[in-house]
Short mmCIF file of all heavy atoms in Angstrom, two decimals:
data_model
loop_
_atom_site.label_atom_id
_atom_site.label_comp_id
_atom_site.label_asym_id
_atom_site.label_seq_id
_atom_site.Cartn_x
_atom_site.Cartn_y
_atom_site.Cartn_z
N LEU A 29 8.45 -3.47 -6.41
CA LEU A 29 8.47 -4.93 -6.46
C LEU A 29 7.63 -5.53 -5.35
O LEU A 29 6.83 -6.41 -5.56
CB LEU A 29 9.90 -5.49 -6.40
CG LEU A 29 10.79 -5.24 -7.64
CD1 LEU A 29 12.24 -5.69 -7.34
CD2 LEU A 29 10.23 -6.01 -8.80
N ILE A 30 7.86 -5.06 -4.17
CA ILE A 30 7.10 -5.53 -3.00
C ILE A 30 5.61 -5.20 -3.15
O ILE A 30 4.74 -6.00 -2.85
CB ILE A 30 7.69 -5.01 -1.69
CG1 ILE A 30 9.09 -5.56 -1.46
CG2 ILE A 30 6.78 -5.32 -0.51
CD1 ILE A 30 9.84 -4.89 -0.32
N GLY A 31 5.30 -4.01 -3.63
CA GLY A 31 3.94 -3.59 -3.80
C GLY A 31 3.20 -4.47 -4.83
O GLY A 31 2.04 -4.83 -4.59
N LYS A 32 3.86 -4.88 -5.88
CA LYS A 32 3.26 -5.79 -6.85
C LYS A 32 3.00 -7.15 -6.20
O LYS A 32 1.95 -7.76 -6.46
CB LYS A 32 4.17 -5.95 -8.08
CG LYS A 32 4.17 -4.73 -8.97
CD LYS A 32 5.16 -4.86 -10.13
CE LYS A 32 5.17 -3.60 -11.00
NZ LYS A 32 6.07 -3.77 -12.12
N ALA A 33 3.90 -7.61 -5.39
CA ALA A 33 3.68 -8.89 -4.69
C ALA A 33 2.52 -8.77 -3.69
O ALA A 33 1.72 -9.69 -3.59
CB ALA A 33 4.96 -9.32 -3.99
N LEU A 34 2.44 -7.65 -2.99
CA LEU A 34 1.32 -7.43 -2.04
C LEU A 34 0.01 -7.41 -2.79
O LEU A 34 -1.00 -7.96 -2.35
CB LEU A 34 1.52 -6.11 -1.28
CG LEU A 34 2.56 -6.08 -0.24
CD1 LEU A 34 2.77 -4.65 0.28
CD2 LEU A 34 2.22 -7.00 0.93
N ARG A 35 -0.02 -6.75 -3.90
CA ARG A 35 -1.28 -6.67 -4.73
C ARG A 35 -1.75 -8.07 -5.14
O ARG A 35 -2.91 -8.40 -5.03
CB ARG A 35 -1.07 -5.80 -5.95
CG ARG A 35 -2.38 -5.46 -6.65
CD ARG A 35 -2.21 -4.45 -7.74
NE ARG A 35 -1.30 -4.97 -8.76
CZ ARG A 35 -0.48 -4.22 -9.49
NH1 ARG A 35 -0.45 -2.94 -9.29
NH2 ARG A 35 0.30 -4.74 -10.35
N ILE A 36 -0.79 -8.91 -5.55
CA ILE A 36 -1.18 -10.26 -5.91
C ILE A 36 -1.51 -11.11 -4.67
O ILE A 36 -2.53 -11.78 -4.62
CB ILE A 36 0.00 -10.93 -6.69
CG1 ILE A 36 0.20 -10.25 -8.06
CG2 ILE A 36 -0.23 -12.43 -6.86
CD1 ILE A 36 1.49 -10.60 -8.71
N GLY A 37 -0.66 -11.07 -3.68
CA GLY A 37 -0.83 -11.92 -2.50
C GLY A 37 -2.07 -11.61 -1.74
O GLY A 37 -2.75 -12.52 -1.19
N PHE A 38 -2.48 -10.32 -1.65
CA PHE A 38 -3.68 -9.94 -0.91
C PHE A 38 -4.88 -9.63 -1.81
O PHE A 38 -5.90 -9.17 -1.37
CB PHE A 38 -3.39 -8.72 0.00
CG PHE A 38 -2.58 -9.10 1.18
CD1 PHE A 38 -1.19 -8.84 1.20
CD2 PHE A 38 -3.13 -9.70 2.28
CE1 PHE A 38 -0.42 -9.16 2.29
CE2 PHE A 38 -2.37 -10.05 3.36
CZ PHE A 38 -1.04 -9.79 3.42
N ARG A 39 -4.70 -9.89 -3.14
CA ARG A 39 -5.74 -9.60 -4.11
C ARG A 39 -6.26 -8.17 -3.90
O ARG A 39 -7.49 -7.97 -3.87
CB ARG A 39 -6.86 -10.65 -3.98
CG ARG A 39 -6.43 -12.06 -4.28
CD ARG A 39 -7.58 -13.03 -4.04
NE ARG A 39 -7.07 -14.40 -3.96
CZ ARG A 39 -6.63 -15.00 -2.87
NH1 ARG A 39 -6.60 -14.33 -1.72
NH2 ARG A 39 -6.18 -16.24 -2.90
N ALA A 40 -5.35 -7.25 -3.83
CA ALA A 40 -5.70 -5.86 -3.55
C ALA A 40 -6.01 -5.12 -4.86
O ALA A 40 -5.39 -5.37 -5.87
CB ALA A 40 -4.59 -5.19 -2.82
N ALA A 41 -6.90 -4.15 -4.77
CA ALA A 41 -7.20 -3.29 -5.91
C ALA A 41 -6.00 -2.36 -6.21
O ALA A 41 -5.68 -2.10 -7.36
CB ALA A 41 -8.46 -2.50 -5.69
N ARG A 42 -5.39 -1.91 -5.12
CA ARG A 42 -4.27 -0.97 -5.23
C ARG A 42 -3.36 -1.25 -4.03
O ARG A 42 -3.75 -1.86 -3.07
CB ARG A 42 -4.75 0.49 -5.11
CG ARG A 42 -5.59 0.93 -6.23
CD ARG A 42 -4.72 1.56 -7.26
NE ARG A 42 -5.58 2.38 -8.12
CZ ARG A 42 -5.33 2.50 -9.40
NH1 ARG A 42 -4.36 1.90 -9.98
NH2 ARG A 42 -6.07 3.26 -10.16
N VAL A 43 -2.15 -0.70 -4.09
CA VAL A 43 -1.27 -0.69 -2.97
C VAL A 43 -0.87 0.74 -2.74
O VAL A 43 -0.29 1.39 -3.61
CB VAL A 43 -0.02 -1.58 -3.14
CG1 VAL A 43 0.96 -1.41 -1.98
CG2 VAL A 43 -0.42 -3.05 -3.34
N GLY A 44 -1.25 1.25 -1.55
CA GLY A 44 -0.89 2.63 -1.21
C GLY A 44 0.55 2.72 -0.80
O GLY A 44 1.07 1.85 -0.17
N VAL A 45 1.20 3.84 -1.21
CA VAL A 45 2.62 4.10 -0.86
C VAL A 45 2.65 5.35 -0.05
O VAL A 45 2.18 6.39 -0.52
CB VAL A 45 3.48 4.21 -2.15
CG1 VAL A 45 4.91 4.50 -1.76
CG2 VAL A 45 3.38 2.99 -2.99
N PHE A 46 3.16 5.26 1.18
CA PHE A 46 3.24 6.45 2.00
C PHE A 46 4.68 6.58 2.50
O PHE A 46 5.29 5.66 3.00
CB PHE A 46 2.32 6.29 3.25
CG PHE A 46 0.91 6.19 2.91
CD1 PHE A 46 0.28 4.94 2.72
CD2 PHE A 46 0.13 7.33 2.70
CE1 PHE A 46 -1.03 4.83 2.37
CE2 PHE A 46 -1.21 7.21 2.37
CZ PHE A 46 -1.82 5.99 2.18
N ILE A 47 5.17 7.78 2.37
CA ILE A 47 6.50 8.13 2.91
C ILE A 47 6.25 9.31 3.81
O ILE A 47 6.10 10.45 3.36
CB ILE A 47 7.51 8.50 1.83
CG1 ILE A 47 7.61 7.35 0.79
CG2 ILE A 47 8.87 8.82 2.41
CD1 ILE A 47 8.38 7.72 -0.47
N ALA A 48 6.14 9.04 5.14
CA ALA A 48 5.79 10.10 6.05
C ALA A 48 7.06 10.80 6.62
O ALA A 48 7.18 12.00 6.54
CB ALA A 48 4.94 9.58 7.15
N GLY A 49 7.96 10.04 7.22
CA GLY A 49 9.20 10.63 7.69
C GLY A 49 9.08 11.44 8.96
O GLY A 49 10.07 12.11 9.29
N VAL A 50 7.96 11.42 9.64
CA VAL A 50 7.88 12.22 10.86
C VAL A 50 7.74 11.39 12.13
O VAL A 50 8.08 11.88 13.22
CB VAL A 50 6.70 13.22 10.78
CG1 VAL A 50 6.91 14.25 9.67
CG2 VAL A 50 5.38 12.52 10.57
N GLU A 51 7.33 10.16 12.00
CA GLU A 51 7.06 9.39 13.17
C GLU A 51 8.30 8.69 13.78
O GLU A 51 8.32 8.38 14.95
CB GLU A 51 5.92 8.38 12.96
CG GLU A 51 6.26 7.25 11.96
CD GLU A 51 6.10 7.63 10.52
OE1 GLU A 51 5.98 8.81 10.16
OE2 GLU A 51 6.16 6.75 9.69
N ILE A 52 9.27 8.41 12.96
CA ILE A 52 10.53 7.80 13.42
C ILE A 52 11.70 8.38 12.64
O ILE A 52 11.53 8.78 11.51
CB ILE A 52 10.55 6.26 13.32
CG1 ILE A 52 10.16 5.81 11.90
CG2 ILE A 52 9.60 5.67 14.34
CD1 ILE A 52 10.18 4.32 11.73
N PRO A 53 12.87 8.46 13.25
CA PRO A 53 13.99 9.20 12.63
C PRO A 53 14.83 8.34 11.65
O PRO A 53 16.07 8.34 11.77
CB PRO A 53 14.80 9.64 13.88
CG PRO A 53 14.59 8.56 14.85
CD PRO A 53 13.19 8.09 14.64
N HIS A 54 14.17 7.66 10.76
CA HIS A 54 14.95 7.01 9.70
C HIS A 54 14.05 6.84 8.47
O HIS A 54 12.82 6.92 8.56
CB HIS A 54 15.52 5.64 10.16
CG HIS A 54 14.46 4.63 10.52
ND1 HIS A 54 14.06 4.39 11.78
CD2 HIS A 54 13.77 3.79 9.71
CE1 HIS A 54 13.12 3.47 11.79
NE2 HIS A 54 12.91 3.06 10.54
N ALA A 55 14.64 6.61 7.33
CA ALA A 55 13.89 6.51 6.09
C ALA A 55 13.18 5.15 6.04
O ALA A 55 13.76 4.12 6.35
CB ALA A 55 14.83 6.61 4.90
N HIS A 56 11.92 5.19 5.66
CA HIS A 56 11.15 3.96 5.45
C HIS A 56 9.99 4.30 4.57
O HIS A 56 9.54 5.44 4.48
CB HIS A 56 10.74 3.32 6.78
CG HIS A 56 9.78 4.12 7.57
ND1 HIS A 56 10.14 5.19 8.32
CD2 HIS A 56 8.42 4.01 7.70
CE1 HIS A 56 9.07 5.69 8.90
NE2 HIS A 56 8.05 5.00 8.55
N ILE A 57 9.41 3.23 3.98
CA ILE A 57 8.26 3.40 3.07
C ILE A 57 7.11 2.46 3.55
O ILE A 57 7.42 1.29 3.87
CB ILE A 57 8.66 3.03 1.61
CG1 ILE A 57 9.82 3.95 1.14
CG2 ILE A 57 7.50 3.07 0.70
CD1 ILE A 57 10.41 3.56 -0.19
N HIS A 58 5.92 2.99 3.63
CA HIS A 58 4.81 2.18 4.00
C HIS A 58 4.11 1.69 2.73
O HIS A 58 3.85 2.52 1.84
CB HIS A 58 3.77 3.01 4.79
CG HIS A 58 4.30 3.58 6.06
ND1 HIS A 58 4.09 2.95 7.30
CD2 HIS A 58 4.98 4.70 6.33
CE1 HIS A 58 4.65 3.69 8.22
NE2 HIS A 58 5.22 4.76 7.66
N LEU A 59 3.84 0.43 2.62
CA LEU A 59 3.05 -0.13 1.53
C LEU A 59 1.81 -0.77 2.15
O LEU A 59 1.91 -1.69 2.99
CB LEU A 59 3.87 -1.19 0.77
CG LEU A 59 5.18 -0.66 0.18
CD1 LEU A 59 6.03 -1.81 -0.34
CD2 LEU A 59 4.90 0.33 -0.93
N ILE A 60 0.64 -0.32 1.66
CA ILE A 60 -0.61 -0.80 2.27
C ILE A 60 -1.56 -1.30 1.24
O ILE A 60 -2.02 -0.53 0.37
CB ILE A 60 -1.26 0.37 3.08
CG1 ILE A 60 -0.29 0.89 4.12
CG2 ILE A 60 -2.57 -0.05 3.66
CD1 ILE A 60 -0.69 2.08 4.83
N PRO A 61 -1.81 -2.63 1.22
CA PRO A 61 -2.81 -3.15 0.27
C PRO A 61 -4.18 -2.57 0.55
O PRO A 61 -4.58 -2.42 1.69
CB PRO A 61 -2.80 -4.70 0.52
CG PRO A 61 -1.59 -4.92 1.36
CD PRO A 61 -1.25 -3.63 2.06
N VAL A 62 -4.87 -2.19 -0.54
CA VAL A 62 -6.22 -1.61 -0.41
C VAL A 62 -7.20 -2.49 -1.10
O VAL A 62 -7.02 -2.86 -2.25
CB VAL A 62 -6.23 -0.22 -1.07
CG1 VAL A 62 -7.61 0.43 -0.96
CG2 VAL A 62 -5.18 0.72 -0.45
N GLU A 63 -8.21 -2.95 -0.33
CA GLU A 63 -9.22 -3.85 -0.86
C GLU A 63 -10.09 -3.21 -1.93
O GLU A 63 -10.30 -2.00 -1.90
CB GLU A 63 -10.12 -4.33 0.29
CG GLU A 63 -9.37 -5.09 1.36
CD GLU A 63 -10.27 -5.39 2.53
OE1 GLU A 63 -11.52 -5.26 2.43
OE2 GLU A 63 -9.74 -5.81 3.58
N PRO A 64 -10.59 -4.00 -2.88
CA PRO A 64 -11.43 -3.45 -3.93
C PRO A 64 -12.61 -2.67 -3.39
O PRO A 64 -13.04 -1.66 -3.99
CB PRO A 64 -11.89 -4.67 -4.73
CG PRO A 64 -10.88 -5.71 -4.44
CD PRO A 64 -10.37 -5.45 -3.04
N GLU A 65 -13.19 -3.07 -2.24
CA GLU A 65 -14.37 -2.38 -1.74
C GLU A 65 -14.02 -0.99 -1.19
O GLU A 65 -14.87 -0.13 -1.10
CB GLU A 65 -15.02 -3.18 -0.58
CG GLU A 65 -15.42 -4.57 -0.95
CD GLU A 65 -14.31 -5.60 -0.84
OE1 GLU A 65 -13.47 -5.49 0.08
OE2 GLU A 65 -14.24 -6.46 -1.71
N VAL A 66 -12.76 -0.81 -0.81
CA VAL A 66 -12.38 0.49 -0.22
C VAL A 66 -12.02 1.47 -1.34
O VAL A 66 -12.37 2.62 -1.29
CB VAL A 66 -11.17 0.30 0.71
CG1 VAL A 66 -10.65 1.65 1.26
CG2 VAL A 66 -11.55 -0.59 1.89
N TYR A 67 -11.27 0.99 -2.32
CA TYR A 67 -10.87 1.90 -3.39
C TYR A 67 -11.76 1.69 -4.60
O TYR A 67 -11.90 0.57 -5.09
CB TYR A 67 -9.39 1.61 -3.80
CG TYR A 67 -8.96 2.51 -4.92
CD1 TYR A 67 -8.45 3.79 -4.65
CD2 TYR A 67 -9.04 2.11 -6.21
CE1 TYR A 67 -8.10 4.65 -5.65
CE2 TYR A 67 -8.67 2.95 -7.26
CZ TYR A 67 -8.19 4.23 -6.96
OH TYR A 67 -7.84 5.05 -7.96
N ARG A 68 -12.32 2.71 -5.08
CA ARG A 68 -13.15 2.62 -6.29
C ARG A 68 -12.46 3.46 -7.40
O ARG A 68 -11.89 4.53 -7.13
CB ARG A 68 -14.53 3.18 -6.06
CG ARG A 68 -15.30 2.33 -5.01
CD ARG A 68 -16.64 2.91 -4.76
NE ARG A 68 -17.32 2.12 -3.75
CZ ARG A 68 -18.42 2.55 -3.14
NH1 ARG A 68 -18.90 3.72 -3.42
NH2 ARG A 68 -18.96 1.80 -2.23
N MET A 69 -12.53 2.98 -8.61
CA MET A 69 -11.89 3.67 -9.70
C MET A 69 -12.43 5.08 -9.86
O MET A 69 -13.58 5.33 -9.59
CB MET A 69 -12.07 2.89 -11.04
CG MET A 69 -11.43 1.51 -11.01
SD MET A 69 -9.69 1.50 -10.54
CE MET A 69 -8.99 2.18 -12.01
N GLY A 70 -11.58 5.99 -10.24
CA GLY A 70 -11.97 7.38 -10.34
C GLY A 70 -12.06 8.04 -9.01
O GLY A 70 -11.35 7.77 -8.10
#
């Protein structure tokens, strides 16, 4: 849900989802809007 809002709000081509789990000792999810110039289809 948040990723869809980020995609609309930032006019992003995609929203990257990262679950790393090594940098801090609790569960969290990274959502990163990706600009159309950075991500190309295929």
Side-chain angles (χ1 to χ4, degrees):
L29 290 173
I30 294 170
K32 288 178 181 181
L34 287 171
R35 192 173 59 212
I36 293 167
F38 286 100
R39 297 175 194 88
R42 295 267 199 216
V43 174
V45 179
F46 298 93
I47 305 170
V50 295
E51 67 278 12
I52 53 178
H54 64 262
H56 65 283
I57 299 171
H58 299 264
L59 300 171
I60 302 171
V62 179
E63 298 174 14
E65 302 85 38
V66 175
Y67 179 85
R68 297 181 181 164
M69 298 306 288

